[in-house]
Amino acid sequence: MQILGIQIDRPFVRAALVDRRRGRMDILCLKSPLLEEPGDVKQLYTPSFKGKITSGLSANDLLLRPLEIKTGHTRHLEQVLTFQSEVSYHFQSSEILSVPYLIKKGKEDTQALLFTASRDTIREHLKELKKIHIDPDLISAEPLALMHYIQWKFPS
């Protein structure tokens, strides 16, 4: 499966085309055209492109909170993480979107990172992408993408 990762890094649009098959990842192409002239990026996802397009929110647009949950059973983990995300901030739950990322899942304790962004920030991000005719299948976070890259290149 091919994945096209897009990052808006003014004045550039950064794009990475990655191929993931049989547990192996290969970087096929890297592009960095100007945001006003994203023609080079458009070549990567022509109408014949069958992969996924993903984009990442900047670390400046996110609130990150580490969580450590002491629990004996992991079957209630999702409810605990949801509750923690709702009580973590003074914002109304209708104004924000929080997504937990599990770092370590154990029998007695679980470590996670809670990524929180305002819905307005996500809307603005999607508007910026729409200006350059990109409709992502997934929105992630740039810090999470960097963490995955480091774990891929340096697993120890």
Side-chain angles (χ1 to χ4, degrees):
M1 166 189 250
Q2 289 188 345
I3 301 166
L4 178 62
I6 302 291
Q7 174 194 16
I8 295 177
D9 183 20
R10 295 193 180 278
F12 300 101
V13 177
R14 311 259 187 218
L17 184 62
V18 178
D19 188 44
R20 191 168 95 183
R21 293 183 194 183
R22 299 182 198 130
R24 183 183 157 151
M25 292 186 68
D26 294 315
I27 298 173
L28 302 178
C29 185
L30 297 172
K31 298 270 184 178
S32 291
L34 290 171
L35 187 58
E36 289 78 29
E37 302 168 11
D40 287 345
V41 174
K42 291 179 185 179
Q43 295 171 6
L44 298 177
Y45 64 97
T46 60
S48 63
F49 180 70
K50 301 284 190 240
K52 301 277 186 194
I53 299 175
T54 184
S55 176
L57 288 174
S58 169
N60 294 336
D61 297 328
L62 296 169
L63 294 172
L64 292 175
R65 179 175 171 231
L67 295 174
E68 188 167 330
I69 299 164
K70 305 237 183 261
T71 179
H73 300 284
T74 58
R75 67 179 179 183
H76 300 293
L77 184 59
E78 190 172 321
Q79 290 95 353
V80 171
L81 288 172
T82 302
F83 176 75
Q84 286 289 327
S85 70
E86 290 174 0
V87 299
S88 295
Y89 304 107
H90 66 278
F91 304 112
Q92 290 194 10
S93 60
S94 61
E95 296 176 1
I96 61 170
L97 182 64
S98 293
V99 178
Y101 175 75
L102 292 177
I103 297 173
K104 180 184 138 201
K105 187 176 178 181
K107 290 184 179 181
E108 296 183 18
D109 71 333
T110 299
Q111 293 178 355
L113 275 176
L114 188 63
F115 290 82
T116 303
S118 72
R119 292 183 186 271
D120 290 337
T121 299
I122 296 170
R123 278 189 207 100
E124 287 301 315
H125 182 74
L126 288 171
K127 281 182 189 176
E128 279 189 283
L129 292 172
K130 189 174 184 177
K131 287 178 189 175
I132 55 175
H133 308 288
I134 294 176
D135 183 20
D137 298 301
L138 175 75
I139 295 178
S140 184
E142 291 173 11
L144 189 58
L146 182 59
M147 187 174 77
H148 283 295
Y149 176 77
I150 291 169
Q151 288 174 341
W152 172 56
K153 288 306 249 182
F154 306 101
S156 61

